[in-house]
Amino acid sequence: MTDAIVVEGARKRYGEKRALDGLDLRVAQGTVHGVLGPNGAGKTTTVRMLATLLRADEGKIEVAGHDVRTRAREVRRRVGLLGQHAAVDEELGGRQNLEMFGRLYHLGAKRAGARADELLERFGLADTGRKPVKQYSGGMRRRLDLAASLITEPAVLFLDEPTTGLDPRGRAEVWASVRSLVGGGTTVLLTTQYLEEADQLADRISVVDRGRVIAEGTADGLKSQVGGDRIDVVVRHAEQLRRAAALLPGETAVDEDRRLVSAPVTDRMAALAGAVRALEDAGIEAEDIALRRPTLDEVFLTLTGGRETAEVTA
């Protein structure tokens, strides 16, 4: 499969601060690639360099087959960018916003209008195209923002924390739009603070910390690095928590505030049946018993040590 993005040994300093320290990244064409990391890990710096808004101090960076340093204009013709903050004008209508972006890209009045209509229809905004954007819901605004980033039909789209501040319904609307784009062949690089978002959308995920990739793989592959399946038991009475922990196999973890005990398992169904029997025999009442895999939250915290630092900006 052809790589739409290639980054090798990218480095970037802001004074004494190393924003990127030998970052390597490859993104396959027609996929969603998630980039996770704590604040200050280098996510936004990476997006800015890929979009030709920032120049690396060292390293090789190619987007859509072109070097971002020597062929920046060719790269810009092939990429779209949805930043963390809305770029649309709230006083204008949705169609007017898209027409404006089209004119800025030199599409011409007729083509800009036609493209605006295409995108409004594609993102389920056709009935609201003349309504001022200030009357849009959060999800609608973000979908319009996404539509604006696609005016030139980019081969590669950068989404820098695209659903920050949206409610669950708004996030779901944006996710549906992203899936539709990738189904049409667009390559998406996604940075996000919502680990569920990466789990839902990304074909592969890179975990970035201190300016370099420290782990990469599918969501399931990364989860397997921090352990296999677990069984969680929530007991009805807190005084029974320790007794319940003694009945479960392996090394257990106890959360007294949630009245929860968790233990690793290998045979999921045998462990579930065994736990139910053991608890009943011991007269311990369980409010909930569940089998689960590690979450991306646990992967993230394990790999980065739970570290959060201030984001570095250019």
Side-chain angles (χ1 to χ4, degrees):
M1 185 177 292
T2 304
D3 289 322
I5 296 173
V6 177
V7 181
E8 295 178 356
R11 299 180 187 276
K12 182 65 181 178
R13 280 181 174 270
Y14 298 109
E16 295 299 314
K17 174 67 178 181
R18 293 183 181 180
L20 295 184
D21 190 21
L23 184 131
D24 297 314
L25 181 68
R26 286 182 177 268
V27 178
Q29 186 175 328
T31 65
V32 179
H33 194 105
V35 178
L36 304 180
N39 291 334
K43 303 186 300 298
T44 296
T45 297
T46 300
V47 170
R48 288 178 176 175
M49 291 196 312
L50 292 170
T52 76
L53 300 176
L54 188 66
R55 177 166 289 196
D57 297 331
E58 299 177 31
K60 169 186 173 182
I61 304 175
E62 292 183 354
V63 177
H66 297 281
D67 188 292
V68 299
R69 185 187 297 269
T70 61
R71 304 291 298 278
R73 181 173 294 181
E74 294 300 320
V75 171
R76 292 186 195 114
R77 289 175 178 171
R78 291 164 172 80
V79 303
L81 171 63
L82 178 63
Q84 297 178 20
H85 306 291
V88 294
D89 189 317
E90 294 194 347
E91 298 300 322
L92 298 178
R95 190 177 193 277
Q96 289 175 312
N97 267 283
L98 296 182
E99 284 184 302
M100 178 181 67
F101 277 99
R103 297 300 296 273
L104 289 172
Y105 278 107
H106 308 290
L107 294 186
K110 185 175 181 180
R111 178 57 184 149
R115 185 65 178 147
D117 289 336
E118 292 170 11
L119 290 168
L120 289 171
E121 183 69 33
R122 180 174 186 175
F123 287 96
L125 298 169
D127 294 338
T128 62
R130 300 192 182 280
K131 181 189 297 186
V133 172
K134 62 185 176 183
Q135 296 180 20
Y136 282 22
S137 68
M140 290 168 63
R141 292 186 192 191
R142 213 53 176 143
R143 279 185 285 152
L144 183 65
D145 237 355
L146 186 53
S149 70
L150 298 172
I151 286 288
T152 58
E153 303 181 75
V156 179
L157 179 63
F158 304 118
L159 302 181
D160 192 11
E161 301 190 19
T163 62
T164 297
L166 294 185
D167 61 22
R169 182 186 296 275
R171 287 203 297 273
E173 291 173 354
V174 174
W175 293 352
S177 298
V178 172
R179 292 188 185 101
S180 175
L181 291 174
V182 177
T186 301
T187 302
V188 174
L189 181 76
L190 167 74
T191 74
T192 181
Q193 294 283 2
Y194 295 113
L195 303 186
E196 180 191 4
E197 188 160 76
D199 210 351
Q200 287 279 337
L201 294 176
D203 299 292
R204 291 184 68 79
I205 296 169
S206 294
V207 181
V208 178
D209 195 22
R210 302 178 190 272
R212 61 174 57 204
V213 174
I214 59 172
E216 184 174 300
T218 64
D220 285 345
L222 289 172
K223 290 173 186 177
S224 69
Q225 293 184 28
V226 298
D229 296 333
R230 300 188 70 85
I231 185 168
D232 289 348
V233 177
V234 178
V235 299
R236 185 175 300 278
H237 304 292
E239 62 271 17
Q240 297 179 325
L241 192 57
R242 296 294 170 179
R243 289 177 55 211
L247 297 174
L248 297 183
E251 185 176 346
T252 58
V254 175
D255 184 333
E256 294 184 357
D257 291 335
R258 297 163 59 194
R259 305 191 313 280
L260 180 145
V261 58
S262 178
V265 298
T266 51
D267 188 328
R268 291 166 58 88
M269 300 314 297
L272 180 60
V276 170
R277 284 196 302 269
L279 292 169
E280 287 181 346
D281 291 345
I284 297 174
E285 294 184 70
E287 284 190 349
D288 189 31
I289 302 178
L291 292 168
R292 67 174 181 86
R293 300 208 64 196
T295 65
L296 273 183
D297 297 69
E298 291 167 326
V299 173
F300 181 86
L301 292 172
T302 298
L303 294 174
T304 66
R307 185 180 62 83
E308 286 289 325
T309 59
E311 183 72 61
V312 178
T313 57

